[in-house]
Amino acid sequence: MRTTAVLSRDPAAGFTVEPVEIDEPRAGEILVRVVAAGICHTDLVSRRAGAADRPILLGHEGAGVVAAVGPEVRTVQPGDHVVLTFRHCGACVNCAAGRPAYCVRATALNQFGRRAHEGPRVRLGDTPVLDGFFGQSSFAGYALTTEDNTIVVDPAVDLALAAPFGCGFQTGAGAVLNVLRPGAGDRLVVYGAGAVGMAGLLAARTVDDVRVVVVETSPARRELALELGAEAALDPAEGPTAARVRELTDGGATHVLDTTGIAEVLGDAVTAMTVGGTAVAVGLGRGTPPIDVADLVLHGKTMRGCIEGDSVPATFIPQLLALQASGRFPAERLVARYPHTAIDTALADQRAGRVVKPVLTW
């Protein structure tokens, strides 16, 4: 199948849009005509994989329509509208326990996983393209996927809005709804109001009487957070936030979602929590958070990590899309659409804070 793809040849250079050949689906594979694909921070940090001059095909928030299926595919058929998400084996101890995001084979399956069959899935002329990112590499007009990461959705769903639910939106929303689980009267603080943090805010607003404070550097995103229901939006540039958070939350946050991946921010967030508070970190970063062990122990605080919202995508993504359809999860306020040929413009707008979640369309 000949199509166009957004490729990375050099992590220090811009993306290129080039014609590629996508193979037909083989046993267990699904060929999806990509309608849209969200741009996630993980796509950008993963560009360093492989040789700098080797074409790399990224994209892991795809959505589209099934064009064809290979032998042994049972749960998906041509014509299905689908959202693409992360891969998992379905058989290991973590998958069996309902925690597919922590699949024992997650790295092998998601980080440019090799095809089970001989021959490349994607070629640029005679050159194989490094693909298989999250089992989809959906920065192209077509993508090869498998049943475990292909979620069938209602045909009425706007696929450009649905695409980010495959990773970013389910990560933020899942961290709140599946892990933190705030209830009436609780006080959630979200550090970082990018796509993941905003999804956490929207998720919290689906629970009655949960107060939300956002900590964010971008003025535009602080303003949007207030429009979406945050009680307050703090600028960390104005000084240490812990004392201000405790004042705004009547003594401290009961729940914290950190999306920044910055060790110092996470340490500040734990300090800002009340007795028995829980902090969940979803941002991948480096360093060791400066945690006061006495504060952690004496006040019974909890800190844990979370990926992909601890979700089971086959059930959680349709749940979130139903909330969006009902108006309770207004993801349309976060998404900006760009033709895939305008990826550099999309990235510039995202870096400048003009958009929260850029989505490429084909």
Side-chain angles (χ1 to χ4, degrees), residues 15-330:
F15 286 89
T16 59
V17 179
E18 304 184 52
V20 297
E21 292 285 343
I22 309 287
D23 199 10
E24 294 299 318
R26 301 191 187 185
E29 294 180 340
I30 301 162
L31 181 67
V32 176
R33 176 176 62 81
V34 175
V35 171
I39 301 175
C40 180
H41 182 65
T42 306
D43 293 308
L44 306 181
V45 300
S46 299
R47 293 178 67 187
R48 294 177 176 83
D53 60 350
R54 182 176 184 179
I56 296 174
L57 179 55
L58 297 156
H60 66 286
E61 291 182 344
V65 180
V66 175
V69 300
E72 303 175 13
V73 173
R74 300 287 181 265
T75 62
V76 179
Q77 60 187 359
D80 283 344
H81 289 222
V82 294
V83 171
L84 309 180
T85 187
F86 63 91
R87 289 210 62 193
H88 62 285
C89 75
C92 71
V93 61
N94 293 333
C95 287
R99 306 189 75 196
Y102 305 96
C103 173
V104 172
R105 296 185 58 209
T107 299
L109 291 173
N110 290 286
Q111 292 299 313
F112 304 101
R114 292 185 177 182
R115 195 179 203 177
H117 316 280
E118 291 186 4
R121 284 172 291 222
V122 184
R123 289 179 289 106
L124 179 63
D126 294 328
T127 303
V129 173
L130 185 62
D131 77 314
F133 193 52
F134 279 65
Q136 54 181 283
S137 283
S138 50
F139 279 178
Y142 285 84
L144 284 168
T145 70
T146 49
E147 288 177 287
D148 58 288
N149 70 325
T150 304
I151 311 301
V152 178
V153 298
D154 191 315
V157 168
D158 181 338
L159 291 173
L161 286 181
F165 286 90
C167 183
F169 288 175
Q170 85 170 327
T171 294
V176 172
L177 298 178
N178 298 333
V179 182
L180 289 170
R181 299 185 180 184
D186 284 335
R187 299 153 335 254
L188 169 69
V189 180
V190 177
Y191 289 80
V196 174
M198 287 291 195
L201 165 61
L202 294 184
R205 298 299 296 154
T206 68
V207 183
D208 292 338
D209 195 27
V210 173
R211 298 163 54 194
V212 184
V213 173
V214 166
V215 180
E216 166 59 42
T217 58
S218 165
R221 291 180 180 178
R222 290 198 301 273
E223 182 179 348
L224 178 58
L226 293 172
E227 293 175 8
L228 293 175
E231 183 177 278
L234 304 180
D235 182 358
E238 295 179 355
T241 59
R244 286 184 288 162
V245 166
R246 286 197 296 268
E247 181 179 356
L248 287 168
T249 56
D250 301 325
T254 57
H255 301 83
V256 161
L257 171 61
D258 175 64
T259 72
T260 70
I262 300 172
E264 292 76 13
V265 172
L266 184 54
D268 196 54
V270 172
T271 301
M273 291 193 303
T274 188
V275 172
T278 299
V280 168
V282 300
L284 291 175
R286 294 181 180 275
T288 302
I291 303 296
D292 184 331
V293 176
D295 173 50
L296 192 73
V297 174
L298 293 176
H299 296 109
K301 298 180 179 182
T302 301
M303 179 175 65
R304 60 154 291 188
C306 167
I307 57 174
E308 298 292 355
D310 269 29
S311 73
V312 178
T315 55
F316 192 56
I317 289 176
Q319 175 188 337
L320 291 178
L321 289 172
L323 287 171
Q324 191 276 329
S326 70
R328 298 179 63 200
F329 194 100

